Amino acid sequence: MFRILLLHIVLLFALSSNAQQPSFKNFKSNTSPYLQFNDVVIFQNNVLFITNEGLFKFEKEAIVQVLQKENLSKFIVVNKQLFIWSIFGEIYEFKNKKLHTFPFNPLLSKRLENSIINTVIYNDSSFYISTIVGSQFIQVDLRTETIKTLTQFRQNPYFVTHFDKKLISGTNQNTTKNELAIYVTETPFFIPLADENSNSKSNVIQLKDNTYLFTKQHEVIRFNSSSLINRIFSEKNIEAIHQDHENKIWCALNNGGIIVYADGNLKESNSTRYLGNQTVISIAEDALGNLWFGTSGNGVYLLEKNEIESVNSNTINYKTPHIFSNTNAENEKIQSKFIVKNLPLIKEDTVFAAFSSPSRIISIKESLPDSISPIVFVNSIKINGRDTTTLSHYELSYQLNSIELTISGVNSNKSDLQYKYMLEGKDVNWTYSVSTSVYYASLQPGYYTFKVFAMNDIGTWSITPAIVTFNISQPFYTSIWFILSWILLLIIVLFIVLFFINKQNQQKNKLLEEQKQKILFSELQVLRNQMNPHFIFNTLNSIQSFITKNESKDAVIYLSKFAKLMRATLANTKRQKISLKDEIDTLRLYLELEQLRLNNKFSYEIIVDDKIDVHYEQIPSMLIQPYVENAIWHGISTLEGKGIIRVQFLLEKENLLKCIIEDNGIGREQAMKTKKSTSTSFGMSITKERIEILNSLEGSNLTIKVHDLTKNNKPAGTRIELFLPI
């Protein structure tokens, strides 16, 4: 018995599933596959479409263009005439495959400038036009070709009115009441709106049971000629509504496909969604009972009559999907997004109206407004799937970022409650739902405030929302201190790497510098050693001259001074620098020897600045002697008359010594003409090389300046200025 029962359940489910999978045919224009189908109409057995590129029709299983015209919006069928109006309010008659304009179109377009048209209807030789933006409601009388402004319920943001049972809805701006004004009989009445005042597209139709449907954004209100019946919310904004020949109600959604209420009652239990998340703009039914759905960018869908019949409320048996599930399925059961009033059964003594479902009778008396605002609660909270103690505030780590809340409300009667909620910090708009379960997954670190309101059937919201706050901390690796620590660590590592690289470079440069200095020291030592033979050679020539002339006494004196000079020179050669006193003593011995050699042909003087400590200050050895030698040999030796050589040591700056070697010889120009000067002085060339090496070796700025002295515009000697860092 159990097996038979189980088999029946499986078969029923299979039949139910098959019944809920109607087959939609899709058609697109071969020339423009991404058209926006603003409206569909069945006219003279033709299926016509208004698109963003003009007028098209369905012909031989294809969408073909009839005429090209931009900015067309909707069709209006009047008896055997077809009218089309544009987004600017211009009205055309479509006849013989052409658009025929009306003479008042320029005036009408100017009147509707900066307005967005909501609805256009035709009655008794007049068009009635309502707008979304601009708060205009006008009558265009074709007989008198006049345009009149109508006034309807200026204090209400939305209104529904009629002209000879033809319905039109519109909006008003700068209103004071948040109510829908309804004027379908002689006595108007008002229904509170769930949302705050907001100008948006609205639709209104009369159903076959003589009730009405009004839609704006995601709110759907069902009412009769005197009161509210019930209110629901769709998942997405509603673009169009239609009731077919089988009393099924179809809603076209923006980015939500279509929703069908199979038995004509707006209840969540018999609603099904098709066409995924496509934007459906228009719906029409042809004479055969086929339904046409125009989309934005995805062509036209055809649902044939036999497929429509498969959409049967008696076979719907699906579980409610999770409210926050994300699915691209063509067919999705919608329950959690709709709110339906449980209508009371009629009593025997009450006035009643029969709906399409014979099993349900609505009591007008018992459908009275709820006078008390409902109260809303957050019953339980799960974090990462685990139950927690219900608190008003939670401090959570970044890993605890999935939150599930269970909400409920208390109302003054047994009517269903509907909710709107928002998670501030994540949601931008309110979410409307009948589900009592709310789920947020993978929340980013930050501060969130969850707010929820409950609303009863007449649109009275709870005064105070239920509020829960969540603070999800940043991961430790995104905190400022962690980032700064990493930056500091990277800087330290980079510094260490650069330090070692720099140290290696320094060691490398040091080795290169040491090798360079060794080479320079060797070259300098060679040059100093070259100075000694040069000086000795010149001195021995002088002694030889004395001996040749049998001047033995002078030769002995000369030899004695020469011996002293040799000892000093040999001692100085071993040192890179010597004291200024040693340099002066050596220089004085050399000048005395040259005086003897030249028979006192010149006199000399050595002057030292009192600020200079000759015992402390040091200079390179044998650096001044070559310039003194050059002054004697090339300036004084050929001078007619007695020569003078003056050597001065002055303190130019705190660390700069200025040495001046001045003579009154024949001058450089005359010396170059003599035979002795045809070759460069060996001592001078060696000294020049030594100065270059010393500057390179010590990084010093040892410089030499040469001045030619004149007297009465005639050569009067030479002055050498030698600047020595000390």
Side-chain angles (χ1 to χ4, degrees):
M1 186 68 183
F2 175 76
R3 292 181 177 178
I4 295 174
L5 179 61
L6 181 62
L7 180 61
H8 276 82
I9 293 173
V10 171
L11 289 174
L12 285 173
F13 181 79
L15 291 172
S16 165
S17 300
N18 292 333
Q20 290 302 310
Q21 299 295 331
S23 177
F24 288 81
K25 294 182 179 180
N26 183 231
F27 301 97
K28 294 182 180 180
S29 169
N30 293 328
T31 56
S32 301
Y34 304 108
L35 292 172
Q36 176 173 302
F37 289 82
N38 298 323
D39 201 7
V40 185
V41 72
I42 313 302
F43 183 73
Q44 296 178 353
N45 296 324
N46 291 315
V47 183
L48 303 177
F49 310 97
I50 288 179
T51 75
N52 56 314
E53 293 185 10
L55 190 64
F56 286 73
K57 72 174 181 177
F58 183 74
E59 185 178 68
K60 297 180 181 179
E61 299 293 311
I63 305 294
V64 296
Q65 190 166 23
V66 178
L67 59 86
Q68 185 174 359
K69 175 73 173 177
E70 295 182 353
N71 302 318
L72 298 180
S73 181
K74 296 290 181 181
F75 290 111
I76 307 173
V77 178
V78 180
N79 298 325
K80 295 182 179 181
Q81 291 177 288
L82 180 62
F83 297 95
I84 299 173
W85 53 277
S86 73
I87 62 174
F88 303 115
E90 300 163 326
I91 301 176
Y92 304 92
E93 182 181 2
F94 178 67
K95 187 168 55 177
N96 299 325
K97 297 183 180 181
K98 293 182 180 181
L99 293 179
H100 300 272
T101 187
F102 284 84
F104 52 77
N105 271 350
L107 181 61
L108 183 60
S109 179
K110 186 176 181 181
R111 173 70 70 88
L112 295 173
E113 188 177 7
N114 299 323
S115 297
I116 298 176
I117 297 175
N118 184 72
T119 309
V120 179
I121 64 171
Y122 180 86
N123 182 65
D124 192 21
S125 300
S126 291
F127 286 105
Y128 296 88
I129 302 174
S130 66
T131 66
I132 301 172
V133 177
S135 297
Q136 296 206 58
F137 187 32
I138 61 176
Q139 176 188 2
V140 181
D141 193 326
L142 299 183
R143 287 174 297 191
T144 61
E145 295 188 357
T146 58
I147 300 174
K148 300 177 182 179
T149 299
L150 306 178
T151 302
Q152 289 285 334
F153 308 105
R154 283 299 185 183
Q155 293 181 335
N156 299 86
Y158 293 90
F159 65 85
V160 172
T161 188
H162 73 99
F163 295 91
D164 193 19
K165 297 184 179 181
K166 294 182 179 178
L167 299 173
I168 186 171
S169 63
T171 64
N172 293 311
Q173 291 180 327
N174 303 320
T175 57
T176 58
K177 297 179 180 180
N178 190 31
E179 295 175 330
L180 168 64
I182 301 173
Y183 187 64
V184 293
T185 62
E186 295 299 325
T187 303
F189 66 98
F190 305 91
I191 297 176
L193 295 170
D195 273 352
E196 297 178 358
N197 296 350
S198 175
N199 289 328
S200 62
K201 175 181 174 60
S202 62
N203 301 281
V204 62
I205 63 170
Q206 184 174 8
L207 303 178
K208 295 177 182 179
D209 61 0
N210 291 323
T211 61
Y212 304 89
L213 283 185
F214 169 83
T215 68
K216 72 170 187 68
Q217 294 177 313
H218 47 258
E219 187 172 6
V220 183
I221 297 175
R222 188 170 188 171
F223 59 91
N224 55 29
S225 59
S226 61
S227 63
L228 168 73
I229 296 176
N230 70 310
R231 181 195 317 261
I232 63 173
F233 290 106
S234 70
E235 183 181 4
K236 304 289 185 177
N237 286 351
I238 297 174
E239 296 290 336
I241 50 178
H242 175 78
Q243 186 179 34
D244 65 19
H245 66 283
E246 294 185 348
N247 297 330
K248 297 180 177 68
I249 296 175
W250 301 80
C251 295
L253 305 181
N254 190 320
N255 292 321
I258 53 177
I259 291 177
V260 58
Y261 298 91
D263 64 358
N265 287 322
L266 300 182
K267 293 183 179 181
E268 59 199 86
S269 59
N270 68 341
S271 61
T272 309
R273 193 177 81 178
Y274 300 104
L275 302 184
N277 293 324
Q278 296 188 45
T279 293
V280 181
I281 301 177
S282 52
I283 308 174
E285 184 176 2
D286 61 27
L288 299 177
N290 303 318
L291 288 178
W292 299 82
F293 302 92
T295 71
S296 176
N298 203 35
V300 175
Y301 285 89
L302 169 62
L303 185 62
E304 295 179 338
K305 182 179 179 180
N306 61 323
E307 297 289 343
I308 298 174
E309 292 173 352
S310 68
V311 182
N312 191 326
S313 62
N314 295 326
T315 62
I316 297 177
N317 187 23
Y318 288 120
K319 291 184 178 180
T320 304
H322 201 289
I323 184 173
F324 290 99
S325 64
N326 184 10
T327 175
N328 291 323
E330 289 289 317
N331 177 17
E332 181 181 353
K333 180 75 174 68
I334 302 297
Q335 177 173 343
S336 57
K337 286 290 182 180
F338 296 90
I339 301 167
V340 184
K341 178 177 179 180
N342 292 325
L343 299 174
L345 294 175
I346 189 168
K347 295 182 180 180
E348 293 181 358
D349 58 346
T350 58
V351 180
F352 65 88
F355 279 74
S356 59
S357 174
S359 63
R360 192 62 172 168
I361 305 297
I362 298 176
S363 169
I364 302 300
K365 281 188 176 180
E366 294 189 10
S367 298
L368 297 176
D370 299 332
S371 59
I372 301 175
S373 298
I375 302 173
V376 64
F377 306 95
V378 176
N379 295 333
S380 64
I381 297 176
K382 289 183 179 181
I383 298 176
N384 281 16
R386 294 185 177 183
D387 289 321
T388 62
T389 303
T390 304
L391 304 173
S392 61
H393 178 73
Y394 290 83
E395 290 287 338
L396 304 175
S397 70
Y398 70 96
Q399 296 171 324
L400 302 175
N401 61 353
S402 294
I403 300 170
E404 184 176 359
L405 307 96
T406 302
I407 58 178
S408 66
V410 177
N411 195 22
S412 60
N413 60 22
K414 295 182 180 180
S415 65
D416 290 339
L417 289 177
Q418 40 201 344
Y419 304 93
K420 71 173 181 179
Y421 58 84
M422 174 187 290
L423 186 64
E424 293 180 357
K426 176 178 173 62
D427 296 334
V428 177
N429 300 313
W430 290 97
T431 299
Y432 295 81
S433 174
V434 71
S435 175
T436 57
S437 180
V438 181
Y439 183 69
Y440 291 97
S442 303
L443 292 173
Q444 295 297 317
Y447 192 87
Y448 299 94
T449 300
F450 177 78
K451 294 181 179 180
V452 57
F453 289 86
M455 186 184 74
N456 57 26
D457 285 339
I458 68 165
T460 303
W461 289 101
S462 52
I463 298 174
T464 305
I467 299 176
V468 182
T469 58
F470 304 90
N471 186 26
I472 302 177
S473 62
Q474 295 282 346
F476 69 93
Y477 50 81
T478 63
S479 60
I480 295 177
W481 66 265
F482 185 85
I483 295 173
L484 291 177
S485 299
W486 267 104
I487 292 174
L488 181 61
L489 180 62
L490 289 174
I491 291 174
I492 292 173
V493 171
L494 182 61
F495 176 79
I496 292 173
V497 171
L498 292 176
F499 174 78
F500 280 106
I501 292 175
N502 186 51
K503 189 173 182 180
Q504 289 179 350
N505 291 334
Q506 286 180 348
Q507 290 177 347
K508 184 178 180 180
N509 293 334
K510 185 178 180 180
L511 291 174
L512 292 174
E513 189 65 25
E514 287 178 353
Q515 293 176 357
K516 180 180 178 181
Q517 287 184 355
K518 287 180 180 179
I519 296 172
L520 292 175
F521 276 129
S522 299
E523 292 178 355
L524 189 60
Q525 186 66 32
V526 170
L527 290 174
R528 285 204 303 267
N529 292 337
Q530 286 179 347
M531 286 293 297
N532 295 330
H534 171 69
F535 175 69
I536 292 170
F537 175 76
N538 290 337
T539 304
L540 290 177
N541 281 338
S542 299
I543 295 173
Q544 182 182 8
S545 176
F546 282 122
I547 294 173
T548 303
K549 297 178 180 178
N550 293 320
E551 296 176 355
S552 56
K553 183 179 180 180
D554 291 336
V556 171
I557 296 172
Y558 197 93
L559 190 58
S560 175
K561 291 182 180 292
F562 174 69
K564 291 180 182 180
L565 182 59
M566 285 300 298
R567 283 196 299 271
T569 302
L570 290 173
N572 294 341
T573 303
K574 297 178 182 180
R575 293 182 292 172
Q576 185 179 355
K577 287 187 177 182
I578 61 174
S579 66
L580 185 57
K581 181 180 183 304
D582 291 340
E583 180 71 13
I584 292 172
D585 290 343
T586 304
L587 193 60
R588 184 174 283 110
L589 284 172
Y590 173 73
L591 286 168
E592 290 177 355
L593 283 173
E594 291 290 21
Q595 275 184 325
L596 288 172
R597 185 176 68 83
L598 296 176
N599 294 322
N600 293 318
K601 184 174 180 58
F602 68 92
S603 61
Y604 72 89
E605 59 178 340
I606 299 175
I607 303 171
V608 181
D609 193 339
D610 294 338
K611 299 177 182 179
I612 299 174
D613 186 352
V614 295
H615 297 281
Y616 175 77
E617 304 296 348
Q618 293 188 334
I619 62 173
S621 62
M622 299 293 289
L623 194 63
I624 300 174
Q625 184 271 337
Y627 294 99
V628 175
E629 175 188 336
N630 191 67
I632 296 172
W633 281 67
H634 302 290
I636 301 297
S637 61
T638 58
L639 178 67
E640 295 180 359
K642 193 172 181 68
I644 300 174
I645 293 179
R646 183 180 295 106
V647 180
Q648 299 181 71
F649 294 94
L650 305 174
L651 190 63
E652 183 74 8
K653 294 181 181 178
E654 184 178 357
N655 58 349
L656 186 64
L657 180 67
K658 182 179 181 181
C659 177
I660 301 174
I661 301 104
E662 187 177 321
D663 66 77
N664 64 339
I666 62 175
R668 289 191 299 169
E669 185 178 352
Q670 185 63 31
M672 292 293 293
K673 296 178 181 180
T674 62
K675 187 176 181 180
K676 292 181 180 181
S677 300
T678 54
S679 60
T680 304
S681 169
F682 183 67
M684 288 289 291
S685 60
I686 291 176
T687 302
K688 184 178 180 181
E689 291 182 28
R690 283 188 65 200
I691 289 174
E692 292 176 357
I693 292 174
L694 286 170
N695 284 336
S696 176
L697 189 62
E698 299 180 1
S700 59
N701 189 21
L702 199 155
T703 57
I704 301 171
K705 293 182 181 180
V706 181
H707 301 278
D708 294 317
L709 303 178
T710 59
K711 187 176 181 180
N712 297 327
N713 293 327
K714 293 182 180 181
T718 306
R719 182 171 65 193
I720 306 294
E721 294 180 356
L722 190 61
F723 296 90
L724 305 172
I726 57 175

